[in-house]
Amino acid sequence: MQDNKKLQTGFDCGTGAAVLQSPEEVVMGQWNRLVVARNNNQGSLQLNSANVVEATAPGAYTRITLRQNLYVGGYPDMDTIESRVNTSKRFVGCVQELIINGYRYDFRRGGLVGDAEFGVNVGECSEGLCDNVVCQNGGTCHAKTADTSICLCPLGFHGSICEKETPVRIPRFNGHSHLEYAGLGRTVLAFTELEAVIKPEAVDGMVLYNGYTLDRKGDFLALALRNGFVEFSFDLGTGPARIRSAMPLALNQWHVIRASRTGLQGVLKVDEQPEVTGQSQGAYTQLTLLENLFIGGHHNFDHTSKHANLSTSFAGCIQKIVVNGRPLRILEEKVNGRNIEPCEHPCAGEPCMNGGECVAKRRCTSVTVLWDSQTPTVKTAHTYAQCLVCCVAELERMPTKPMFSGSSFLIYTHSDIAKRITGNKMDVQLYIRPKGRNGLLLWSGQDVMTTNSDFVALGFVDGSLQLHYNLGSGKALVAYNDSRLFDGQWHFIRVQRDNRDAYMEVDSREIVEGSSPGSYTMLNTNRILYLGGMPNVAEGTDNLFTTNYVGCVRDLLLATDLNVQLIEHAQSGRNVLQCRKHL
């Protein structure tokens, strides 16, 4: 900057300098924005909103080679460069941001976090901002920018100076918030599955992060928003995977994010957007996360992996976080947190009766039914204007012909049912009226599935009705392909297994058969039978099925002698409706 308070810049490609000076003066004591550009020997300068100034360097050379370090604010020996910069004075003031060719420089000392290699007499521009700020209820003042400060409030308080005390049921993050939990440790070594229900208010922000160390290196797992897109990233120690959603999220609406990884492979699914996949670098396949887990932000982004590239906290509401099928009790399990506000949400008042669950919906749908076996009633669901579904009323009778919506299932644990599925023989008869061409209809397996875990499964894959089973020595498949199953009519299905051999009969006239490899003949499962689907279907079936059944079921008969009362005999269930005349 010159003595006349005008900014000057210049460049030389080797055959003469071009000098550009702003027509307007710098506004003292305020932030000024300077944009300088060069294309070959053509240069331009713009200060704030003033006119653009252009200049051309003389000669034919168009390239610049710079071998010295970059200096900001001054130079060690100003006398040696005075003839080039037309001043012998160093800059006095603040520099808030420096971006060169798209790279944003970090003014902190290099090494773990910053880009600066050395500096002399550089202070903090925000120094003194908190001198006259008194945060209440144990809050602490911190610089938000070079000009503004913010009170970081302890849990239970919020407001500009932490003056408001309000119970929080569903947390809202204000862009300077975070909640901290015990880390995932070694519980997600080979497989990780995340589900998050969020309502964002800004296009950038960290939703979830868990790392291995505090030195910005090593394993990590992260969910974040970047320019409105969801980014799922993880590093197993040899390079990150970054998987971005196909489309950006709409702000101030609820969204469901599902992300998973198996070894190197990652999958991201957002609402009804197309599924996106990716892979981490290197050969390592296990994920270890020894540090604490954070949602909504981090107390120090310098402790996050540089490959995660996180610097902004989330703004908005987070209703639900599920890790490997286990819901995180967001408020009960926290070990620390700051600046959490109550989210405006009809579920915050716990409106659901009789054990019903209030959940956020991305868009309004028709009435849903939640069923609770503890009180043998079915509860209708009410759709709020905010697109929330909540169970609030009871029906006089339970469904006799259950309809499954793709998020439904029934669970049976009675020994009379289990013994007719396991062992060396099985005979299952039922009527189905399917609508979806993909989905798990029936399942019994192990709590944790491995390559040779015993299981039996019946369901649809791309319109093919498939029976899968494994007796411990290899998988077997029996498949029936006929589009008539989707004609809206009831169809009779019978599945039989005699030791290693299995048979599937459709409408009492067509039979397909198969046999399992190896010598094992007994089916040994955890003695739980799922009908219509199951929670976390992809993980529970080891990705054999990825969705639950859509359609109706009636008249389930086991071993020719047990008529299963589909509702009364179920131990529990979710989202089960009465089958309608027309699906």
Side-chain angles (χ1 to χ4, degrees):
M1 189 170 68
Q2 304 303 303
D3 291 336
N4 60 5
K5 299 181 182 179
K6 294 184 178 182
L7 275 173
Q8 188 179 97
T9 186
F11 64 94
D12 191 332
C13 298
T15 53
V19 178
L20 302 95
Q21 181 171 280
S22 63
E24 305 290 336
E25 294 183 356
V26 171
V27 182
M28 305 300 290
Q30 297 184 22
W31 291 106
N32 295 263
R33 183 173 184 266
L34 174 67
V35 178
V36 176
R38 183 188 67 86
N39 184 12
N40 295 320
N41 63 344
Q42 305 290 321
S44 65
L45 175 150
Q46 183 181 30
L47 175 64
N48 299 323
S49 58
N51 293 331
V52 176
V53 178
E54 298 180 340
T56 301
Y61 291 176
T62 60
R63 296 184 178 182
I64 293 180
T65 301
L66 304 173
R67 292 192 174 94
Q68 288 188 319
N69 288 339
L70 170 68
Y71 290 85
V72 177
Y75 190 75
D77 187 354
M78 292 296 298
D79 292 338
T80 62
I81 64 170
E82 181 180 359
S83 61
R84 293 189 176 186
V85 299
N86 295 326
T87 184
S88 60
K89 299 178 181 179
R90 296 181 177 89
F91 177 71
V92 178
C94 297
V95 178
Q96 183 169 251
E97 185 176 68
L98 176 64
I99 302 174
I100 300 179
N101 285 356
Y103 181 80
R104 186 188 306 271
Y105 281 83
D106 189 330
F107 297 126
R108 293 172 295 179
R109 185 67 180 266
L112 292 180
V113 293
D115 295 312
E117 294 185 2
F118 185 73
V120 176
N121 294 336
V122 179
E124 176 58 59
C125 195
S126 60
E127 185 177 358
L129 277 177
C130 290
D131 290 350
N132 298 317
V133 178
V134 179
C135 302
Q136 300 179 13
N137 297 305
T140 56
C141 179
H142 289 261
K144 183 178 178 181
T145 67
D147 299 307
T148 60
S149 63
I150 185 173
C151 285
L152 300 183
C153 307
L155 293 175
F157 299 94
H158 67 283
S160 60
I161 56 172
C162 309
E163 75 280 10
K164 299 177 182 178
E165 181 177 6
T166 306
V168 175
R169 297 186 184 275
I170 296 172
R172 177 183 177 271
F173 300 78
N174 65 9
H176 299 276
S177 317
H178 73 269
L179 286 171
E180 184 177 358
Y181 305 84
L184 300 178
R186 302 182 187 276
T187 64
V188 291
L189 287 173
F191 177 80
T192 314
E193 186 174 60
L194 301 174
E195 179 182 349
V197 179
I198 68 171
K199 185 172 72 170
E201 299 172 10
V203 296
D204 293 294
M206 186 202 99
V207 177
L208 177 147
Y209 177 84
N210 199 178
Y212 177 70
T213 64
L214 302 180
D215 62 2
R216 312 210 77 190
K217 300 177 182 178
D219 295 10
F220 76 86
L221 178 74
L223 272 180
L225 296 183
R226 298 194 193 280
N227 296 319
F229 291 84
V230 178
E231 183 177 278
F232 173 45
S233 58
F234 58 91
D235 191 335
L236 309 180
T238 51
R242 291 190 181 90
I243 306 172
R244 176 172 281 206
S245 63
M247 293 174 283
L249 299 187
L251 298 183
N252 300 305
Q253 294 184 21
W254 287 103
H255 300 275
V256 179
I257 302 169
R258 293 184 175 90
S260 65
R261 57 157 285 273
T262 303
L264 298 168
Q265 306 295 324
V267 180
L268 175 64
K269 174 74 172 175
V270 179
D271 298 329
E272 281 78 44
Q273 294 185 23
E275 187 175 272
V276 188
T277 61
Q279 179 175 313
S280 65
Q281 304 171 29
Y284 291 177
T285 60
Q286 293 193 332
L287 179 65
T288 303
L289 305 170
L290 300 183
E291 295 300 324
N292 280 352
L293 168 73
F294 289 82
I295 68 169
H298 203 287
H299 67 73
N300 187 348
F301 283 108
D302 293 345
H303 292 168
T304 63
S305 170
K306 62 182 179 181
H307 294 303
N309 193 25
L310 299 171
S311 60
T312 305
S313 296
F314 177 75
C317 299
I318 298 179
Q319 183 185 0
K320 182 179 181 183
I321 297 287
V322 181
V323 181
N324 281 8
R326 178 185 176 274
L328 178 70
R329 294 183 297 163
I330 293 179
L331 297 174
E332 292 83 356
E333 295 184 37
K334 66 186 182 308
V335 297
N336 206 341
R338 284 288 186 272
N339 278 27
I340 301 301
E341 304 175 6
C343 178
E344 293 185 4
H345 192 312
C347 287
E350 298 184 353
C352 298
M353 299 168 58
N354 300 304
E357 178 187 9
C358 187
V359 294
K361 299 294 285 185
R362 191 180 70 85
R363 61 187 183 190
C364 293
T365 59
S366 59
V367 169
T368 305
V369 173
L370 305 177
W371 174 73
D372 181 358
S373 66
Q374 302 304 314
T375 55
T377 55
V378 179
K379 309 173 192 72
T380 62
H382 177 70
T383 304
Y384 286 90
Q386 294 89 342
C387 301
L388 300 168
V389 174
C390 177
C391 163
V392 294
E394 296 183 358
L395 294 179
E396 294 181 355
R397 59 188 180 88
M398 294 176 289
T400 56
K401 299 173 184 176
M403 182 171 75
F404 300 88
S405 64
S407 61
S408 317
F409 54 85
L410 292 168
I411 303 175
Y412 304 88
T413 59
H414 198 281
S415 60
D416 286 342
I417 293 176
K419 70 182 182 182
R420 287 169 170 80
I421 297 295
T422 56
N424 63 351
K425 293 182 183 294
M426 181 185 75
D427 190 339
V428 177
Q429 302 176 51
L430 73 165
Y431 284 85
I432 64 172
R433 186 152 65 102
K435 181 180 180 182
R437 298 179 65 84
N438 289 279
L440 175 67
L441 176 60
L442 181 146
W443 170 271
S444 185
Q446 301 289 343
D447 293 331
V448 178
M449 295 297 297
T450 60
T451 302
N452 282 322
S453 295
D454 285 21
F455 74 90
V456 61
L458 181 66
F460 286 97
V461 178
D462 295 330
S464 170
L465 181 61
Q466 297 186 356
L467 170 68
H468 297 260
Y469 63 99
N470 190 337
L471 306 179
S473 54
K475 296 178 181 178
L477 168 64
V478 180
Y480 175 82
N481 297 285
D482 194 329
S483 61
R484 289 178 299 172
L485 290 176
F486 301 94
D487 59 5
Q489 304 299 313
W490 287 100
H491 294 275
F492 172 73
I493 308 296
R494 185 174 188 178
V495 174
Q496 295 175 280
R497 184 182 61 81
D498 184 0
N499 295 313
R500 295 171 47 242
D501 301 323
Y503 311 88
M504 184 160 57
E505 178 183 346
V506 179
D507 290 332
S508 301
R509 63 176 182 269
E510 297 182 66
I511 298 178
V512 289
E513 58 186 57
S515 184
S516 65
S519 58
Y520 293 171
T521 61
M522 299 283 289
L523 177 68
N524 298 292
T525 72
N526 60 6
R527 302 178 69 81
I528 298 174
L529 176 66
Y530 292 90
L531 183 67
M534 64 189 303
N536 305 308
V537 60
E539 178 188 357
T541 65
D542 197 23
N543 292 305
L544 195 62
F545 293 87
T546 58
T547 58
N548 287 334
Y549 174 71
V550 178
C552 297
V553 175
R554 66 176 174 88
D555 301 340
L556 175 61
L557 178 66
L558 299 181
T560 72
D561 64 351
L562 179 62
N563 284 297
V564 178
Q565 303 301 308
L566 294 177
I567 299 299
E568 289 89 337
H569 287 170
Q571 188 270 334
S572 63
R574 177 63 57 85
N575 282 13
V576 179
L577 296 144
Q578 172 65 32
C579 187
R580 300 189 297 268
K581 184 176 181 180
H582 300 289
L583 291 179

